[in-house]
Amino acid sequence: MSIEKFFDIPLVAALALKEKQIQQIYRPIIAVHKWFARRPGTLFRGLILAEFGQRPLKEIFFEPNDFPDRLVVDPFMGGGTPIVEANRVGCDVAGFDINPMAAWIVREEIEHLDIDEYDRATFRLLKSLESQIGDLYRTKCPLYGDDDVPVKYFLWVKILDCVKCGRDFDLFPGYLVADDTRHPRNVLVCHSCGELNETSTVTKPGKCKSCKSTLQLDGPAKRGRCSCRHCGEPNKYPRSTAEPFRHRLFAIEYFNPSRKEGHVGRFFKKPDQFDLAKIDKVKKIRENSRLKFVPPDKIKAGDESSRLIRWGYKRYRELFNDRQQIGLEQSCRLIAAVRDTRVRNALATNFSDLLRYQNLLCRYDTMALKSLDIFSVHGFPIGLVQCESNILGITNENGTNVGSGGWINIIDKYRKAKKYCDAPFEIKRDGKRKIVVPIVGEWIGEHRADSRSRNVSIRCLSSAEMSTPPSSVDAVFTDPPYFGNVQYAELMDFCYVWLRRLVGKDFEGFSQDSTRSPDELTGNDTESRDLAHFTEGLTAVYKTMALALKPGGPLVFTFHHNQITAYCSIAVALLDAGFLCTVAIPCPAEMGGSIHIHGTNSSIVDTVFVCRQRTISQPLPDSISPEQLVKLLRNEIEMLSSAGMQPSLGDIRCVLFGHLTRIAILLLHRTWDMKAEILEKLALIQCTIDDFVSVPELITELTPPPQSRKKREVTLSLFAEEAANAISL
Ligand SMILES: C[S@@+](CC[C@H](N)C(=O)[O-])C[C@H]1O[C@@H](n2cnc3c(N)ncnc32)[C@H](O)[C@@H]1O
């Protein structure tokens, strides 16, 4: 019962909260490749150390740890957070995921890379790309008259052919290119002549410096409708029979290294005749090339991917413009020619991650003045204005990167990630100061010349099918799908269709033409996967885990959802697999400001369910009073507040749902009928919770969170002790 005893909510909550604000600083390893909804590494480090370290977390968190001969399993490894954290502290690890991209990424994270070899290969790659396509990313600086300065971003607007007059027109939702946060003035595109104008205010922006029209902030395209600028006819978009939209280049953000010193703000321009001529040139190159690596794959319908189809995209390659297709094709050719398999795979991983920024779904952040990659929300939202980043990337004279979304940016962060594997660290806070604490002796990987080896098994497999010898696993740490929150496979297919073409079909799982699987445990309307499917699948996995775990070994997993019904599935799966939940720990695990959370009243707090097998030797208490629960919740809200977060209504709801799940399991485990129908079981959990407490009333009682910072005596072990009595460890 070590987590129950040694885990430290305020310590880990504070670390996790900071980590999620800028995860790459705390865990550079995540930069190997994008994965969705990654939980904080500090959270899983805290859990693993609390379980195996047998000492208060404060004493060991910033120290090197080594747990040889411990086997940790993650049945839903995704981007690999628990697996990497366990490997780092010397455990043997076995990770499973149904998605071949996840298996590829985690293997890339853990497998050792010779950084010198990698540096040589990336140098050659960048040099070749520069000579082959560098010219396509250069422009003239109209401000200072310099030729051949690098373009940071090309900005494109969608255009539509009028149903009445047949002429095309721009679909501008607004005319603001950049606001005055990072640039001294606002930049507006003139609706009449397309000139870029710099204004000190957007409320009365004045007249266009070129055609003298009155500048406007709001554009004509709103909620799927836009009037034709030529004949006034109202047009609807997208159209059911549509081809992919055409785009018009309307603005360029570039960089002028030799003038940067004396120049205030960024460099913007309206495309000139040379820029427009380059578009024609690129089109011709594209038409005359045999593109071997650009995937011809069709986009399949899905809860997220059907939006692409509605907007006229039928094949993945249509999501990339001519210049992007050429740049990506050239990149693939260069990577495919690299002889060293390890370095080639690293570059292929970089390429796959680069795709996020090199497509025509990226948007331009008018405040931060950078590209928003395709996965900045967990879906495929289609904007009317798109941002194309320089595929090479730009480096300043002092070696720092300028702009985002290019090869240079991807290589830089990947390199940092792999260096972190050899020399991991933690970050302590001293007030506002960050202190980097090297954790000397820990490392991520399988072998080191001067240390013992660790076993690492990474499989692409449905976890229900995995075979692990009975009673062989010391602990399961995982982060299962949260019912329908993220459509992993639909999203990852976007990268997979390219990566598979580049690296071939030999890697496990890569023989399939899509990462989608009927056994993926996400709710999905298109595939008719409902809560019952999710519950059955989760139950199968937890049953397998129950057999694989050594007696008393914990199954530890994070979860959050806005609906209590999703928690009912968790309760059913745990009861069916014979687990009791000893504690339900709250921990911040999402970034408050992240685009997919912001404004949704979603929670950033996960519940960490710590579960152990039910081998009853002593009776359990029949019930826990609602009053005790309120006391516990208040205490936890206070602990989260002391860690620096302000729990919202959504957060409080999720913490509450976690506890209600734990309590329902406690109340039902003795009479649980495993043979009952799944819907009956789900209904029983719901009734048990409803009978126990009125959720709306309790939430009202707990909001706003109490200000007093008194009693902390109700600790997370309150219920752990009760549960411990019934569990022989
Ligand atoms: C929440 S993610 C894990 C995130 C991960 N812990 C991280 O930090 O990046 C859940 C994962 O479960 C995987 N998954 C869904 N159904 C599965 C199944 N039946 N077997 C194995 N993995 C599955 C998904 O592909 C997804 O990668």
Side-chain angles (χ1 to χ4, degrees):
M1 301 293 281
S2 303
I3 297 178
E4 295 82 344
K5 190 166 169 197
F6 295 118
F7 192 79
D8 185 328
I9 295 181
L11 173 78
V12 177
L15 287 164
L17 197 63
K18 289 281 180 228
E19 177 183 337
K20 281 308 292 185
Q21 264 144 31
I22 180 147
Q23 205 162 0
Q24 255 165 259
I25 300 287
Y26 281 73
R27 288 294 183 272
I29 186 82
I30 68 154
V32 162
H33 195 286
K34 170 79 183 179
W35 197 260
F36 309 100
R38 285 185 201 245
R39 304 295 99 183
T42 41
L43 167 61
F44 277 99
R45 179 174 175 82
L47 290 164
I48 294 165
L49 297 189
E51 180 63 17
F52 296 145
Q54 298 291 329
R55 278 164 60 203
L57 211 45
K58 268 193 193 69
E59 294 172 15
I60 53 178
F61 196 93
F62 296 99
E63 296 296 318
N65 289 271
D66 189 25
F67 306 112
D69 306 323
R70 304 282 183 143
L71 174 59
V72 167
V73 167
D74 182 352
F76 300 109
M77 72 187 161
T81 306
I83 285 290
V84 168
E85 295 296 328
N87 168 267
R88 181 182 144 178
V89 293
C91 302
D92 293 334
V93 293
F96 302 83
D97 201 288
I98 201 162
N99 193 310
M101 282 298 292
W104 175 279
I105 293 166
V106 179
R107 199 210 42 167
E108 267 292 309
E109 287 169 350
I110 294 187
E111 197 177 331
H112 180 66
L113 177 73
D114 181 333
I115 305 256
D116 293 337
E117 277 297 328
Y118 177 73
D119 285 348
R120 282 190 281 276
T122 54
F123 179 78
R124 284 193 295 270
L125 176 86
L126 290 173
K127 208 161 162 246
S128 304
L129 280 178
E130 176 60 48
S131 72
Q132 290 168 357
I133 56 170
D135 172 57
L136 305 182
Y137 294 90
R138 284 196 281 274
T139 189
K140 287 176 190 292
C141 171
L143 292 174
Y144 299 101
D146 300 303
D147 285 340
D148 268 352
V149 293
V151 171
K152 273 167 89 177
Y153 308 111
F154 297 101
L155 302 185
W156 299 83
V157 61
K158 287 191 167 45
I159 51 179
L160 195 63
D161 293 324
C162 175
V163 281
K164 190 169 169 206
C165 73
R167 283 178 288 176
D168 63 24
F169 58 94
D170 297 338
L171 287 176
F172 272 113
Y175 291 110
L176 186 71
V177 177
D179 75 14
D180 59 2
T181 316
R182 298 249 164 107
H183 189 65
R185 287 152 73 82
N186 304 286
V187 181
L188 285 171
V189 58
C190 171
H191 64 96
S192 181
C193 70
E195 187 57 72
L196 297 189
N197 291 267
E198 304 230 347
T199 69
S200 51
T201 163
V202 287
T203 40
K204 282 193 181 156
K207 306 260 185 219
C208 170
K209 67 183 181 195
S210 174
C211 73
K212 309 296 175 220
S213 299
T214 302
L215 295 171
Q216 297 171 5
L217 184 62
D218 281 343
K222 292 268 174 313
R223 288 180 284 279
R225 284 163 198 271
C226 187
S227 293
C228 170
R229 66 171 290 188
H230 309 289
C231 71
E233 175 71 13
N235 280 256
K236 286 187 187 168
Y237 62 87
R239 294 174 183 153
S240 53
T241 54
E243 291 295 302
F245 279 80
R246 284 177 291 127
H247 292 81
R248 184 177 75 77
L249 182 68
F250 73 94
I252 292 176
E253 190 198 331
Y254 62 97
F255 182 64
N256 191 338
S258 60
R259 309 290 177 165
K260 180 68 195 146
E261 198 73 354
H263 180 83
V264 182
R266 303 289 185 93
F267 300 89
F268 293 98
K269 71 179 276 198
K270 177 186 169 184
D272 58 30
Q273 51 171 321
F274 302 104
D275 299 313
L276 300 177
K278 250 177 209 173
I279 296 176
D280 292 336
K281 177 179 161 187
V282 167
K283 188 161 182 266
K284 287 205 182 81
I285 303 177
R286 156 78 188 79
E287 280 166 359
N288 294 327
S289 317
R290 222 192 106 252
L291 301 182
K292 187 174 154 206
F293 290 100
V294 177
D297 306 53
K298 282 191 177 159
I299 299 170
K300 295 184 180 145
D303 284 16
E304 293 296 344
S305 55
S306 287
R307 187 178 301 111
L308 297 173
I309 299 169
R310 280 199 298 282
W311 281 77
Y313 298 104
K314 295 177 191 69
R315 294 181 189 271
Y316 284 101
R317 66 166 179 241
E318 294 164 353
L319 298 168
F320 304 85
N321 71 16
D322 291 331
R323 182 165 30 216
Q324 287 167 334
Q325 290 194 27
I326 293 167
L328 294 171
E329 171 75 18
Q330 291 302 344
S331 303
C332 284
R333 288 183 188 189
L334 293 166
I335 294 167
V338 172
R339 287 223 191 93
D340 181 319
T341 311
R342 178 68 193 96
V343 173
R344 189 171 64 246
N345 285 348
L347 293 174
T349 310
N350 298 161
F351 172 83
S352 174
D353 205 33
L354 177 76
L355 290 166
R356 295 194 275 142
Y357 292 95
Q358 291 297 328
N359 64 79
L360 272 195
L361 292 191
C362 294
R363 288 161 296 144
Y364 186 66
D365 185 330
T366 54
M367 190 188 83
L369 307 185
K370 61 174 190 168
S371 171
L372 287 172
D373 78 87
I374 188 173
F375 295 141
S376 49
V377 290
H378 297 158
F380 292 117
I382 294 167
L384 298 175
V385 172
Q386 313 299 163
C387 173
E388 178 193 357
S389 298
N390 184 328
I391 197 171
L392 284 147
I394 304 167
T395 308
N396 215 337
E397 288 121 35
N398 63 13
T400 53
N401 295 335
V402 178
S404 60
W407 263 111
I408 286 175
N409 312 88
I410 298 283
I411 290 168
D412 186 45
K413 68 190 182 69
Y414 183 87
R415 197 174 179 281
K416 285 186 183 136
K418 293 312 292 181
K419 284 196 90 154
Y420 172 82
C421 291
D422 295 334
F425 53 78
E426 291 300 328
I427 295 183
K428 255 187 190 169
R429 313 284 303 192
D430 178 12
K432 287 203 167 153
R433 211 160 60 92
K434 279 195 295 211
I435 304 167
V436 177
V437 185
I439 309 291
V440 180
E442 290 188 3
W443 47 273
I444 295 163
E446 285 177 86
H447 314 284
R448 282 291 176 283
D450 51 351
S451 308
R452 71 180 172 80
S453 305
R454 293 132 188 209
N455 293 319
V456 175
S457 165
I458 303 297
R459 300 290 312 274
C460 169
L461 204 63
S462 168
S463 299
E465 288 165 28
M466 65 194 186
S467 61
T468 315
S471 305
S472 62
V473 173
D474 292 277
V476 175
F477 290 98
T478 191
D479 168 24
Y482 298 169
F483 188 43
N485 279 2
V486 185
Q487 297 299 335
Y488 301 95
E490 286 187 25
L491 299 177
M492 264 304 152
D493 268 354
F494 172 81
C495 296
Y496 177 73
V497 291
W498 285 86
L499 184 62
R500 178 174 180 259
R501 224 171 152 74
L502 174 57
V503 301
K505 300 173 190 171
D506 291 344
F507 188 75
E508 189 178 33
F510 275 51
S511 57
Q512 53 198 67
D513 62 5
S514 158
T515 65
R516 301 184 197 197
S517 161
D519 295 329
E520 183 179 319
L521 294 181
T522 45
N524 189 295
D525 292 339
T526 316
E527 299 295 327
S528 308
R529 295 199 302 256
D530 56 12
L531 197 64
H533 174 275
F534 177 67
T535 313
E536 277 164 13
L538 201 62
T539 303
V541 176
Y542 284 1
K543 277 186 174 169
T544 314
M545 293 296 95
L547 284 174
L549 274 165
K550 291 179 182 169
L555 162 69
V556 184
F557 64 97
T558 52
F559 195 78
H560 88 226
H561 202 282
N562 290 343
Q563 304 292 327
I564 188 80
T565 43
Y567 290 79
C568 294
S569 294
I570 298 291
V572 171
L574 288 172
L575 281 162
D576 273 355
F579 284 104
L580 275 178
C581 176
T582 55
V583 274
I585 304 169
C587 184
E590 292 270 6
M591 187 171 80
S594 67
I595 299 178
H596 74 280
I597 293 285
H598 189 68
T600 60
N601 199 22
S602 286
S603 166
I604 64 158
V605 177
D606 279 3
T607 289
V608 181
F609 290 95
V610 181
C611 310
R612 300 188 193 256
Q613 274 153 278
R614 198 181 64 199
T615 49
I616 301 185
S617 59
Q618 290 168 353
L620 269 178
D622 275 339
S623 65
I624 290 157
S625 73
E627 292 71 34
Q628 273 181 301
L629 175 61
V630 171
K631 210 172 161 194
L632 178 68
L633 283 164
R634 282 199 199 288
N635 187 53
E636 288 182 347
I637 292 166
E638 245 186 78
M639 284 197 265
L640 293 177
S641 306
S642 74
M645 77 171 280
Q646 291 166 332
S648 69
L649 199 74
D651 295 324
I652 294 169
R653 196 179 46 206
C654 282
V655 178
L656 170 63
F657 287 171
H659 281 296
L660 291 177
T661 309
R662 181 180 57 78
I663 290 165
I665 294 169
L666 204 58
L667 294 175
L668 287 169
H669 77 100
R670 272 198 257 123
T671 54
W672 187 248
D673 176 9
M674 291 192 189
K675 294 203 184 76
E677 289 294 318
I678 198 105
L679 292 179
E680 245 178 82
K681 290 180 190 172
L682 287 166
L684 180 59
I685 303 281
Q686 181 75 62
C687 285
T688 308
I689 290 173
D690 290 346
D691 287 350
F692 180 74
V693 78
S694 155
V695 170
E697 277 174 29
L698 212 142
I699 288 181
T700 315
E701 193 181 337
L702 288 164
T703 326
Q707 295 301 311
S708 85
R709 286 177 182 264
K710 292 184 277 173
K711 305 203 167 184
R712 288 263 170 86
E713 77 273 20
V714 184
T715 67
L716 80 154
S717 61
L718 179 74
F719 298 111
E721 281 163 25
E722 295 158 0
N725 292 334
I727 298 171
S728 56
L729 300 175

